[in-house]
Amino acid sequence: MVARAPERRSERLEVRVPPSLHNRVSQAAALRGQTLAAFVTAAVQDAAQRAIEDAEVTRLNRDDFAALTRALDAEAEPNHALRAAAARHRAMTGHA
């Protein structure tokens, strides 16, 4: 991950929550020795990072990774669809 310079300004983010959740989050912040704002900011940042990674990163277990690498390393003849796509590409670009 690339380190970024601190942002100079901030944006307001307001959210309404039930009193029970507010109390729980306040308690958690106090247990961590953080302000409510600092605790919520860190939690939201972590959740946002996880959501982005879940959408952008594909994770494979060892067996699936091994199967993928075997498939990528295997030499195979181009099928009809690949040959047709290559022919269309050559026709569009004029490359042989």
Side-chain angles (χ1 to χ4, degrees):
M1 184 182 296
V2 177
R4 293 184 183 176
E7 294 183 46
R8 293 184 179 228
R9 57 179 290 225
S10 62
E11 298 285 335
R12 183 182 261 323
L13 178 66
E14 294 186 38
V15 61
R16 299 194 65 75
V17 297
S20 60
L21 178 56
H22 187 278
N23 291 337
R24 188 175 178 96
V25 173
S26 295
Q27 180 184 8
L31 290 169
R32 291 264 173 99
Q34 295 178 302
T35 65
L36 182 59
F39 182 84
V40 170
T41 299
V44 169
Q45 188 172 26
D46 289 346
Q49 184 64 36
R50 281 192 311 273
I52 292 166
E53 286 177 5
D54 288 348
E56 294 180 348
V57 176
T58 300
R59 299 186 196 302
L60 300 174
N61 64 36
R62 275 196 183 114
D63 293 340
D64 291 341
F65 181 75
L68 174 63
T69 56
R70 281 192 306 274
L72 292 172
D73 289 342
E75 293 194 24
E77 289 296 315
N79 63 17
H80 174 73
L82 182 57
R83 285 191 182 103
R88 285 191 309 274
H89 175 73
R90 283 191 300 275
M92 290 172 52
T93 63
H95 290 97

